[in-house]
Amino acid sequence: MKRTPSAVCILFLWGAALHAQTPTIKSVSNESGPNILCPGGVAFVQGTNLGNNSALVTVANKQAYVFNNFSGTLQVELPVDAPLGPTTLTVGASAPFNITLVQYCPAIPTDGQADNLAVAYHYPSGQPVTISYPASPNEQIAVGASGLGPTTPVYPTGSAPSDNSAVTNAKPTVNVAGKAATVVNAFLQPNSPGFYAVVFTMRADATTGNQNVNVSIGGLTSNTAVLPVNTGAIVGSVTNAASYNDPALPNGPIAQGSIFVVKGINLGPSAISVATAAFQNTSLSGTSLSVTINGTTVAPLMYYTSAGQVAALMPSNTPVGTGTITATYNGQPGPAAPIRVVANNLGIFTATSDGLGAAIVTYADYSLVST
């Protein structure tokens, strides 16, 4: 059959378009950088035309689980049942890419920023470890990890339990500032396929500052990430004493002249200490607070203090706006934490003392109105 020049041109362009859309794999690595890959480990597949979350990624003819596409890089969980040794990885119709699977490929996810902060949490509260809410000596911390090998029970590729029941068959080790910490447990993170939590006790001799942390298992060591540590009084959250609303919510800021609660670590003595006369002094049993807004610093008046929770009164002359709050216990100040102060923000005390349920409403003789 004779083709016209225009038909030949269309066929050529169609063929070129198909060729341009064929996935091409350039590299496969994990968080640690080197090409150390393992079954169930999290890998980054780099290349061109790799597609999105619906891309078909296979290893040894077994399907991987695709998490994300970051500007041409697929983040995947490698099949948990893939065989050890040399094999190939493909994305759609790409050419096979040679990889080698070993039993473990430990890695610590980071925040992806220049600070290289480890993805870690205060345990069991689940609040992230950050510069303003750092880890504390003797505290239990859960650091995120991948590539820690099989668990009992086994969960298929792309799945995870809703609790911490899938414990690793081998217990990893954690090093902080080059020294081994005591590992309590290691398990698949709830509802997070491919990612583990390694719970450890922060070393008692840990010092204030950004400390290096890594995870080792099976003779292999992960990338080194940064874990902020502070030995002083650490503010975790600041809420209205009645509503306990999240500070990030529109009704979450602290009002001038209101009672507020600070929760955190090393805030005061192990046993609660209550002021004999509430809101009369700026210090109680070694605990004090300072709030700085727009260059002005005020000292809240104390009600009670303990290691994990403090209550105080925000001075009425505190400027409104966004600023910081710092706690000090026995002369050791902690890091500044964010706070926002507004002119007013109603909170109603409740019978359960958690901001939920029935309000505390009394008769004229102060007896509680109840069912």
Side-chain angles (χ1 to χ4, degrees):
M1 183 178 74
K2 184 178 179 180
R3 294 187 176 92
T4 65
S6 59
V8 172
C9 181
I10 291 172
L11 286 172
F12 174 79
L13 292 174
W14 180 69
L18 283 180
H19 178 74
Q21 293 174 0
T22 301
T24 301
I25 302 171
K26 295 181 178 179
S27 66
V28 182
S29 62
N30 73 3
E31 289 275 2
S32 295
N35 299 330
I36 300 175
L37 308 169
C38 64
V42 176
F44 295 89
V45 182
Q46 294 183 313
T48 57
N49 304 315
L50 297 180
N52 52 31
N53 290 25
S54 62
L56 177 61
V57 179
T58 60
V59 176
N61 295 319
K62 297 179 181 293
Q63 187 170 344
Y65 174 69
V66 181
F67 298 104
N68 295 299
N69 182 322
F70 301 113
S71 301
T73 298
L74 294 179
Q75 183 186 29
V76 305
E77 180 194 11
L78 300 177
V80 298
D81 55 349
L84 300 181
T87 185
T88 59
L89 181 147
T90 61
V91 178
S94 74
F97 188 88
N98 293 327
I99 62 173
T100 298
L101 298 182
V102 294
Q103 189 169 14
Y104 305 106
C105 52
I108 296 179
T110 66
D111 62 357
Q113 305 300 316
D115 54 20
N116 196 38
L117 288 184
V119 175
Y121 303 88
H122 298 270
Y123 191 81
S125 72
Q127 289 187 271
V129 175
T130 63
I131 297 296
S132 61
Y133 192 16
S136 178
N138 297 311
E139 179 196 8
Q140 285 196 350
I141 297 295
V143 63
S146 62
L148 300 186
T151 63
T152 301
V154 177
Y155 276 80
T157 307
S159 67
S162 58
D163 53 25
N164 60 0
S165 60
V167 177
T168 58
N169 292 353
K171 183 180 287 188
T173 60
V174 172
N175 285 293
V176 178
K179 298 178 181 179
T182 301
V183 174
V184 179
N185 199 4
F187 49 85
L188 278 176
Q189 291 189 34
N191 306 310
S192 299
F195 289 98
Y196 304 75
V198 183
V199 180
F200 68 96
T201 302
M202 179 58 67
R203 292 182 59 90
D205 59 357
T207 56
T208 296
N210 289 337
Q211 307 296 342
N212 288 336
V213 60
N214 57 45
V215 175
S216 299
I217 190 170
L220 297 174
T221 300
S222 73
N223 54 310
T224 298
V226 170
L227 193 66
V229 178
N230 196 289
T231 60
I234 298 173
V235 174
S237 65
V238 185
T239 57
N240 181 297
S243 67
Y244 286 94
N245 285 333
D246 187 326
L249 295 175
N251 57 351
I254 307 303
Q256 296 168 317
S258 68
I259 305 171
F260 65 97
V261 168
V262 176
K263 292 184 179 180
I265 305 166
N266 297 331
L267 297 175
S270 56
I272 188 170
S273 174
V274 182
T276 53
F279 313 128
Q280 299 301 307
N281 296 290
T282 59
S283 179
L284 175 64
S285 299
T287 298
S288 62
L289 302 170
S290 65
V291 175
T292 301
I293 307 286
N294 299 327
T296 299
T297 299
V298 298
L301 298 168
M302 300 295 298
Y303 176 30
Y304 65 77
T305 179
S306 64
Q309 184 167 313
V310 169
L313 181 74
M314 185 66 68
S316 296
N317 63 345
T318 306
V320 298
T322 300
T324 60
I325 180 171
T326 302
T328 299
Y329 177 58
N330 285 344
Q332 287 201 66
I339 189 172
R340 188 155 66 96
V341 176
V342 294
N344 51 69
N345 189 12
L346 178 65
I348 298 176
F349 286 96
T350 63
T352 52
S353 299
D354 59 3
L356 303 174
I360 293 180
V361 181
T362 67
Y363 295 102
D365 62 357
Y366 299 107
S367 60
L368 186 66
V369 176
S370 69
T371 54

